[in-house]
């Protein structure tokens, strides 16, 4: 899901209803998430969907707990992977059940 200033919560809710195992949020800058979308992502995480914050900017990486309280929300950061690469890594990693901590380790390693 690509984030932007006025992204509606309905966008995240619609993706969540499809039965996904993970949702890659492509935010601006350091993987920013609009305040109006945070509750929707938290709801999905409580249902077992892995939330991965990524950045759609050309350079840089997403710092854990810098833009969002990732530990508190139990989210994963894609670190230096763009949203497209984060989607592929999540798809491969989640062929087997993973905790968010293990998934984060995988994102840091690969």
């Amino acid at each position: 899901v690509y984030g932007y200033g006025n992204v509606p919560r309905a966008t995240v809710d619609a993706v969540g209803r499809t039965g996904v195992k993970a949702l890659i949020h492509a935010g601006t800058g350091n993987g920013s998430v609009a305040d109006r979308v945070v509750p929707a992502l938290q709801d999905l995480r409580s249902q077992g969907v892995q939330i991965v914050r990524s950045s759609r900017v050309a350079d840089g990486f997403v710092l854990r707990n810098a833009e969002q309280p990732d530990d508190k929300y139990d989210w994963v950061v894609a670190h230096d992977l763009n949203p497209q690469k984060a989607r592929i890594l999540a798809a491969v990693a989640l062929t087997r059940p993973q905790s968010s901590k293990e998934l984060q380790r995988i994102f840091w390693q690969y």
Side-chain angles (χ1 to χ4, degrees):
V1 173
Y2 275 72
Y4 52 92
N6 293 322
V7 63
R9 178 191 168 127
T11 301
V12 172
D13 290 335
V15 171
R17 285 192 296 271
T18 66
V20 296
K21 291 182 182 179
L23 182 142
I24 310 301
H25 181 274
T28 58
N30 186 26
S32 300
V33 179
D35 289 342
R36 69 177 64 190
V37 176
V38 169
L41 294 175
Q42 288 175 305
D43 289 348
L44 286 177
R45 184 66 197 114
S46 71
Q47 296 167 27
V49 176
Q50 294 285 356
I51 306 300
V52 180
R53 285 193 315 115
S54 185
S55 178
R56 58 187 173 95
V57 300
D59 293 319
F61 50 90
V62 178
L63 296 172
R64 187 163 182 81
N65 295 311
E67 186 66 34
Q68 297 292 326
D70 299 299
D71 288 341
K72 176 182 175 185
Y73 295 160
D74 198 26
W75 293 354
V76 172
V77 296
H79 193 61
D80 61 345
L81 297 181
N82 66 30
Q84 296 84 356
K85 290 178 181 178
R87 181 185 182 276
I88 293 167
L89 183 56
V92 171
L94 293 173
T95 57
R96 299 170 68 184
Q98 304 288 348
S99 69
S100 61
K101 288 183 182 194
E102 179 61 15
L103 187 58
Q104 183 64 76
R105 185 198 63 75
I106 290 168
F107 268 90
W108 279 330
Q109 183 173 353
Y110 300 101

